Amino acid sequence: MPRNTKGTRRERELVTLLDALGMALMRAPASGSSTDRPLPDVLAGNGGVFVAIEAKASAGQPIYLDEEEVEALEYFAENFGARALVGVRFDAKHGDPNYGTDDSGWRFLAPETLYRTDGGNYRVKKETAYAEGMTLAEIASGVVA
Amino acid sequence: MPRNTKGTRRERELVTLLDALGMALMRAPASGSSTDRPLPDVLAGNGGVFVAIEAKASAGQPIYLDEEEVEALEYFAENFGARALVGVRFDAKHGDPNYGTDDSGWRFLAPETLYRTDGGNYRVKKETAYAEGMTLAEIASGVVA
């Protein structure tokens, strides 16, 4: 499956999961935002917690984000008044101990905690995501607010 | 010009104006929001003020909103944690005294202040919009927060 198609499908799953947790949310339009400013993939709130999410999915290989992409996320989030989060989702086999109790597979990391490559970009490994990432429930409950 | 095209153009203008006031914002995608929930046209924030806007433009005739449309706006706004606002924009001739000092032509009203028709829908007249509506600057400055 092309990477872009898979990314879109996973992003839709994320939206459904946030919705199920009682968060109101908006996905960025594919184009035509009417300003030249880059947008996060998802903007969500629940009356107390506001999050701007850049979402990426991978079967298992590390996920890379451009410096510009992360800076744009942080810029938007700060201006809007939301918490910037990088959402990552890796495939895992059933019973994978890394999966933990949140079986959505999504984990969320603050941009400033991400590993930076020598080139200035950002990298998230699957192991790091499970070890350090926040779960959907933690986000919605305001742990990261 | 078809109504829909004009509405889209006006909505883009609104987005540009909010951006110029320092608000970060996202327009609802035309489709594919990934949940069945209706979305406001624009979601904007500036760190202190969060607004969900349903935007409508008219040359001069009263603007009507369906009951369902307004209820959906209020529902989203409450869940997200934003202020629900109906944004209306009427054409005005240069020098029109109703125009006031905010020459964007946009005015914003809280849904609960709108006139309800016998059929249960909502109506905004141009005169009412200029007399009672809030300006862009008032929204961004937090007067309505």
Side-chain angles (χ1 to χ4, degrees), chain A residues 51-121:
Chain A
V51 289
I53 300 172
E54 194 71 18
K56 302 280 178 191
S58 162
Q61 291 296 105
I63 288 170
Y64 288 88
L65 296 98
D66 292 342
E67 183 175 26
E68 293 73 18
E69 194 172 11
V70 173
E71 283 179 357
L73 171 68
E74 291 180 311
Y75 181 85
F76 180 95
E78 183 175 341
N79 279 0
F80 186 89
R83 177 92 155 90
L85 290 172
V86 172
V88 294
R89 199 267 182 203
F90 296 93
D91 292 342
K93 290 178 186 169
H94 186 68
D96 185 335
N98 286 325
Y99 230 33
T101 54
D102 181 350
D103 64 4
S104 77
W106 283 95
R107 292 296 186 279
F108 302 86
L109 299 117
E112 63 270 20
T113 68
L114 300 184
Y115 176 83
R116 295 200 77 168
T117 65
D118 291 342
N121 293 323

Side-chain angles (χ1 to χ4, degrees), chain A residues 8 11-12 15-16 19 22-30 32-35 37 39-50 75-76 78-82, chain B residues 8 11-12 15-16 19 22-30 32-35 37 39-50 75-76 78-82:
Chain A
T8 300
E11 192 181 312
R12 289 212 189 99
V15 162
T16 302
D19 180 79
M23 301 198 84
L25 55 96
M26 191 179 281
R27 283 181 71 198
S33 70
S34 299
T35 69
R37 303 191 190 287
L39 296 170
D41 292 319
V42 179
L43 187 56
N46 66 3
V49 177
F50 303 98
Y75 181 85
F76 180 95
E78 183 175 341
N79 279 0
F80 186 89
Chain B
T8 300
E11 191 181 311
R12 289 210 189 100
V15 162
T16 301
D19 181 77
M23 302 197 82
L25 55 95
M26 191 180 280
R27 282 181 72 198
S33 70
S34 300
T35 69
R37 303 191 192 286
L39 295 171
D41 291 320
V42 179
L43 187 55
N46 65 4
V49 177
F50 304 97
Y75 181 84
F76 180 95
E78 184 175 341
N79 279 2
F80 186 89

Side-chain angles (χ1 to χ4, degrees), chain B residues 63-72 74 111 114-124:
Chain B
I63 288 171
Y64 289 88
L65 297 97
D66 293 341
E67 184 175 26
E68 291 73 18
E69 195 172 10
V70 174
E71 283 179 357
E74 291 180 309
L114 300 184
Y115 176 83
R116 295 199 76 168
T117 66
D118 292 342
N121 293 323
Y122 296 82
R123 187 186 69 202
V124 187

